[in-house]
Amino acid sequence: MARILLIGCNQATSPYHVFPLGLAQVAGALNSQGHEVRQIDILSSELSIAELLAKHASFEPHAIGVSVRNIDDVDSHNIEANWYLAQTRNVIVEIKKQYAVPVILGGAGFSLMAEKILEFTGADVGVIGEGETAMPELIKKLSASNWQATALPRVFSAPLLTGDKIPAPLIDHDMGKFYAQKTGIMGIQSKRGCPYGCAYCSYPLIEGAKLRCREPESVAEQMERAHKDFGVSHFVFCDSVFNDKQGHFLQVAEAIKKRSLPVHWSGYFRPSHMTKDELEFLQSAGLNALEIGTDSASDATLEGMNKPFTFDDVHHFNSLCTELELAAAHFIIMGGPKEDRSTVKTGLRNIKALTRSVVFVYQGARVLPGTRIEKIARDEGVIAPQDSLLRPVYYHSPLISEEEVKVMLEADFAGDITRLFPPSKADKMDKALRSMGHKGILWDKLLARPTGRTRQRSSRASADRGCNG
Ligand code: SF4
């Protein structure tokens, strides 16, 4: 059996220090096959990569895996500063200085442009798709080739796991403690895959279009363990869409509720096809905040983004959240396909009408390979045919200038702490609240506190779950 060093090289701290869930998932899969695995990451070590690698030299790994979670931060106003691949390349350079073993790349970001990222970073080989299956297979092949990566294909993939086979992560004790203490938050998945085809989104390309759902009980058990072992107080479901049409999300909520866990949770929601009763049920199981994939601000641009709902649906969904005093955040990209002066004006009116909500606004859609927006951008000549997309490239509608959109947004959101544009405004808010000792998702702190009626319901739900907070 082999010794494998897994490195999380994410260095972004906005919106918060994100626990490297993918790394822990792969560690669990390797561990279950008898390999000796050590997980380290730059953020929780608070060391430079050179110091971190030197500290673990005595482990003498046979191979090193590096996880690339994101390529950049999708903020068109901050392109070079937050292009994470430059940092990844520095990590690989340092590894190669200190170790003469194969360096394997993997992770969601890597899967999008595997060959190009290998070439850019100088890593030896990579796994695309699901690391829990691909990585153990690759380790087997590397071991058989006496750890000579040159004898193998550069990119290795394996079939997608069915939902019941998606393993729970192996959480390194020190890392678990660090993230729980720093933010109180841990990510969790109850399913993989996304059946929708939003124009800019790479999720279905990475996870497939078919939903693969985990056993609700194993999801709730993972939450209970992370709460007991590390003190995690808030879970973020990083499923593509938590409220799936089939209703698996209700079974997950039921399993969580049964355990009376004193935690809160949030997730990504589609703003349609949910009743007030369903939302109320999720609230009684600990849901306290919803991150809503609204994505565009008018019906014309929703259609341009291939979203399967209208802004009336968004308003209705938001009003249910307001009524139940559930914190709601909308994520909106302005300047996408079909955006022009009139859709921006309509969009600003629509955003204004979103009661008791935070709105994160981005300008321009990051173009990723294989997405619908790549085709639109190439057809419209918005990006050059030879553009590799490795460095961030954004689609801005040719029907209105970027400057005009920016001026309109800034004028409309001036002085409103709940309308976060440009995205750096959200970063500043995060840092300020974190420095005041706040933990959790933070954006909910920008909203008016719940009033009497729902405070009663919240505390009743908390009491049902044995929550003192
Ligand atoms: S934006 Fe959300 S709903 Fe749309 S394809 Fe991506 S993950 Fe699916």
Side-chain angles (χ1 to χ4, degrees):
M1 287 298 127
R3 285 184 303 281
I4 313 295
L5 185 63
L6 295 180
I7 304 178
C9 70
N10 171 44
Q11 294 173 53
T13 55
S14 181
Y16 48 81
H17 291 59
V18 176
F19 173 78
L21 182 63
L23 201 74
Q25 296 275 157
V26 171
L30 288 168
N31 184 65
S32 71
Q33 302 215 354
H35 298 296
E36 193 181 342
V37 186
R38 185 172 292 184
Q39 302 175 63
I40 57 177
D41 85 326
I42 298 173
L43 275 186
S44 65
S45 72
E46 297 179 323
L47 296 172
S48 72
I49 184 64
E51 292 164 338
L52 184 60
L53 289 169
K55 185 177 163 189
H56 292 276
S58 61
F59 182 60
E60 296 185 347
H62 292 97
I64 297 178
V66 178
S67 144
V68 182
R69 190 172 147 264
N70 291 325
I71 296 173
D72 50 76
D73 71 348
V74 300
D75 175 9
S76 67
H77 296 276
N78 209 0
I79 292 180
E80 282 303 318
N82 288 332
W83 187 49
Y84 305 140
L85 284 183
Q87 296 169 354
T88 307
R89 182 167 60 176
N90 293 340
V91 169
I92 307 296
V93 167
E94 196 55 46
I95 294 173
K96 296 234 164 220
K97 270 192 215 159
Q98 296 195 30
Y99 292 82
V101 299
V103 180
I104 306 162
L105 289 188
F110 173 73
S111 295
L112 289 170
M113 291 184 253
E115 292 281 1
K116 288 174 195 160
I117 294 176
L118 280 177
E119 197 175 312
F120 177 76
T121 58
D124 300 299
V125 59
V127 292
I128 58 172
E130 288 180 314
E132 297 100 330
T133 41
M135 189 72 168
E137 279 303 307
L138 176 59
I139 293 300
K140 209 185 286 175
K141 290 198 183 314
L142 278 170
S143 170
S145 69
N146 201 23
W147 304 101
Q148 296 303 310
T150 46
L152 302 176
R154 288 200 85 195
V155 178
F156 198 82
S157 66
L160 297 177
L161 290 163
T162 54
D164 58 331
K165 295 279 186 325
I166 296 171
L170 175 69
I171 298 173
D172 174 83
H173 184 80
D174 291 346
M175 276 163 61
K177 277 275 176 214
F178 171 86
Y179 285 97
Q181 207 166 27
K182 192 92 187 166
T183 66
I185 302 176
M186 191 169 277
I188 186 164
Q189 271 188 320
S190 74
K191 65 179 97 58
R192 289 183 185 167
C194 181
Y196 303 106
C198 306
Y200 69 92
C201 184
S202 57
Y203 237 107
L205 300 173
I206 297 170
E207 294 195 351
K210 189 166 177 278
L211 280 191
R212 295 169 288 129
C213 300
R214 289 180 63 195
E215 283 296 325
E217 283 302 330
S218 87
V219 175
E221 189 193 328
Q222 185 180 325
M223 291 169 79
E224 183 164 14
R225 238 190 7 253
H227 171 68
K228 281 194 178 140
D229 293 351
F230 308 113
V232 176
S233 54
H234 188 107
F235 291 88
V236 174
F237 279 94
C238 37
D239 308 7
S240 56
V241 178
F242 186 69
N243 53 331
D244 59 297
K245 265 189 188 162
Q246 291 90 325
H248 174 258
F249 71 103
L250 294 170
Q251 296 169 34
V252 172
E254 179 75 56
I256 298 169
K257 188 172 176 172
K258 248 180 25 203
R259 289 177 190 245
S260 299
L261 302 177
V263 299
H264 282 119
W265 48 275
S266 55
Y268 304 126
F269 283 73
R270 202 169 78 107
S272 58
H273 296 300
M274 260 191 98
T275 64
K276 185 178 165 194
D277 285 351
E278 286 172 337
L279 269 175
E280 223 164 356
F281 175 65
L282 300 192
Q283 189 174 35
S284 74
L287 174 76
N288 71 340
L290 297 89
E291 302 201 345
I292 303 167
T294 303
D295 282 353
S296 292
S298 67
D299 285 349
T301 50
L302 281 170
E303 196 184 303
M305 283 290 203
N306 202 34
K307 303 298 286 187
F309 50 79
T310 65
F311 219 89
D312 277 350
D313 295 324
V314 176
H315 279 140
H316 175 68
F317 191 83
N318 190 76
S319 68
L320 292 179
C321 296
T322 302
E323 206 179 319
L324 295 171
E325 295 189 332
L326 282 163
H330 298 263
F331 290 78
I332 292 181
I333 299 167
M334 299 297 286
K338 301 195 179 180
E339 195 83 85
D340 59 19
R341 190 175 299 152
S342 119
T343 63
V344 175
K345 282 183 184 162
T346 306
L348 290 173
R349 274 198 304 277
N350 282 336
I351 290 173
K352 209 174 276 290
L354 292 170
T355 49
R356 199 175 179 275
S357 63
V358 173
V359 184
F360 291 85
V361 182
Y362 296 80
Q363 190 180 354
R366 167 66 156 111
V367 182
L368 289 167
T371 56
R372 283 168 193 254
I373 216 158
E374 182 194 10
K375 181 164 182 345
I376 297 171
R378 293 204 191 275
D379 288 351
E380 290 180 2
V382 171
I383 56 172
Q386 71 278 10
D387 201 314
S388 77
L389 306 179
L390 195 62
R391 284 182 179 272
V393 175
Y394 288 83
Y395 176 92
H396 295 277
S397 167
L399 305 175
I400 183 169
S401 78
E402 289 173 49
E403 186 55 25
E404 185 174 355
V405 175
K406 186 165 178 271
V407 168
M408 289 170 82
L409 298 179
E410 283 176 341
D412 212 76
F413 300 148
D416 186 343
I417 59 163
T418 64
R419 300 310 189 234
L420 298 168
F421 177 82
S424 56
K425 189 172 164 186
D427 297 345
K428 285 184 198 137
M429 175 276 292
D430 281 332
K431 286 199 176 79
L433 288 169
R434 202 86 52 208
S435 71
M436 288 158 67
H438 289 291
K439 283 189 180 184
I441 51 173
L442 296 188
W443 57 259
D444 57 332
K445 307 279 182 300
L446 301 177
L447 298 171
R449 285 174 66 79
T451 57
R453 188 180 140 262
T454 45
R455 258 212 309 274
Q456 273 172 19
R457 180 177 32 238
S458 294
S459 51
R460 196 168 59 238
S462 297
D464 288 347
R465 300 194 312 278
C467 180
N468 299 317

